[in-house]
Every structure is written in structure tokens, then in C-alpha cells.
Amino acid sequence: MADISINYAVIQRLIREKISVSTMESCTGGLLASVITDCSGASDIFPGGFVTYCNGAKEKCGVSCHIIEKHGVYSEETAKEMARACSDYYKTKLGIGITGTLGRLDPENMDSVSGQVFFAVKYGEKYISGRIEVPESLKERNQMKKFVVNEVLDSVSGFFA
């Protein structure tokens, strides 16, 4: 299967328009932050991000344990809370949260569904959020992560359409 290429246009637009961005990622393992920093000029808009692979790490970074308990760690509500928490921490205009399961099910969380990812993009006080279903044809973890990052970047562009 051919490699999935990343669409950098959204990030380049954020850089051009000087819109600050931060991330809190789980299943993508920091790939979104890496993709952002692949672009020249990213240091002007990207102060940092979090990779929070377990519930406790999310909570330490500002995600409410009540949201996780009520809605599950793999939910739009948790993704929104992740976007809010990283945006608040880094004081950025735009915050992005990604949580989900790529590969094997998470034995610690009963809401784990393989290939299902939730994301949220917070821009000012507005949110875009949703669920991404990773195609079963994608077998390699890196391809799955790239697919998710591209889908999230497409959603970010929704704020500027």
C-alpha cells in the first residue's frame, strides 16, 4: 500500500496568519506535533504539545477526571477537554485534542473500539469535533496515525473556509 502523504497547507496557513496552536495527543503519539514542526516557521506559532497515552497523564495535563469517568476516555467530550486543556496551558488560540484506539483494544478502558478516534479542535470559544473511523485497509500503525492527522487537519481548515 502506498504511503499516506500529509497535507501541510493548513499548517502553513496557521503560520502565515500567526495563529498559535497547541496539541494534546493520545493514539497519534505526537505525530501531529511533529507534522506541525516539520514546517518552517512553526516555532512562531507552536509553543508545545502533550502526548498523554494514559488517563492519568491526561488528568495531570488538565483534563477533568469527571469528563473521563462520565463519557469515557475515548469520546468527543474527552477530546474537547483535551483541546481546551492544551489551549489553556499554552495560551494558544487553537487547541487540538485526539484520543482513540489504533490497533489492539485498551484493556484498561471498556470504551475502546479499534480504529475509532475522537478529535476536537478549539478555536477561540468555538469547537469542531467528531469521530474518525480508520479504514480497515490501513494495516500499519504509522499509516493509521497519518490518516487521523490528515482528517484532523482537514477539520482545522473548516475554521477558515
Side-chain angles (χ1 to χ4, degrees), residues 3-23:
D3 196 22
I4 298 169
S5 36
I6 298 292
N7 179 354
Y8 290 96
V10 174
I11 299 161
Q12 291 163 343
R13 182 167 184 181
L14 296 175
I15 293 168
R16 252 190 339 272
E17 296 185 17
K18 299 182 181 351
I19 298 171
S20 59
V21 60
S22 56
T23 60

Side-chain angles (χ1 to χ4, degrees), residues 42-77:
S43 60
D44 293 340
I45 64 157
F46 185 71
F50 300 106
V51 176
T52 56
Y53 224 55
C54 70
N55 296 3
K58 289 173 184 63
E59 291 169 17
K60 285 181 183 177
C61 293
V63 173
S64 167
C65 65
H66 303 295
I67 296 291
I68 293 173
E69 289 169 7
K70 182 176 180 180
H71 300 284
V73 71
Y74 306 121
S75 65
E76 266 185 73
E77 292 81 6

Side-chain angles (χ1 to χ4, degrees), residues 96-112:
I96 302 171
I98 303 172
T99 183
T101 306
L102 300 176
R104 75 175 184 88
L105 297 179
D106 178 353
E108 300 297 316
N109 294 286
M110 297 309 296
D111 58 338
S112 176

Side-chain angles (χ1 to χ4, degrees), residues 4-11 23-38 96-99 102 117-119 121 132 134-135 138 141-157:
I4 298 169
S5 36
I6 298 292
N7 179 354
Y8 290 96
V10 174
I11 299 161
T23 60
M24 186 178 296
E25 302 175 69
S26 183
C27 62
T28 50
L31 181 62
L32 178 57
S34 179
V35 164
I36 292 168
T37 60
D38 283 346
I96 302 171
I98 303 172
T99 183
L102 300 176
V117 176
F118 295 91
F119 75 94
V121 180
I132 299 168
V134 177
L138 298 178
R141 192 170 184 82
N142 196 41
Q143 289 179 326
M144 293 179 210
K145 290 160 74 171
K146 284 181 178 181
F147 179 84
V148 170
V149 165
N150 272 332
E151 293 291 308
V152 170
L153 289 173
D154 284 348
S155 294
V156 170
S157 69

